[in-house]
Amino acid sequence: MDPAFALTVNDLARDEALCLRCGCRSHTYSRARLIALVGRDARLHLIGLNRELWCGDCGEPPFQGWVTAPVANQP
């Protein structure tokens, strides 16, 4: 089994976020916000199945997502 399928919200670094895209927009959730909405043990590859994260505008579940990290200050 691919180890990526075992990653959970708790595996995100404190400064990482998850960007989820549905049919009409993208929304970024911080690790803390995801824990509050779906819990620490929610699997990242199934995160779109949580109705708490479905779009309030189009009603669709997110069908694509990616992890984002803060960009370090550049000189």
Side-chain angles (χ1 to χ4, degrees), residues 8 10 26 37 39-40 42 68:
T8 64
N10 201 45
S26 292
L37 289 171
R40 293 180 185 275
T68 62

Side-chain angles (χ1 to χ4, degrees), residues 6-66:
L7 294 176
T8 64
V9 172
N10 201 45
D11 293 322
L12 293 172
R14 292 190 187 274
D15 59 350
E16 287 182 325
L18 188 65
C19 189
L20 299 173
R21 186 171 68 100
C22 66
C24 69
R25 67 185 178 107
S26 292
H27 188 78
T28 303
Y29 296 91
S30 68
R31 178 181 181 267
R33 182 75 176 136
L34 283 171
I35 289 172
L37 289 171
V38 299
R40 293 180 185 275
D41 58 347
R43 294 192 181 251
L44 292 180
H45 75 285
L46 298 173
I47 201 95
L49 299 177
N50 292 286
R51 291 196 66 85
E52 295 85 0
L53 301 178
W54 287 26
C55 181
D57 294 330
C58 69
E60 294 292 321
F63 55 84
Q64 185 179 19
W66 57 95

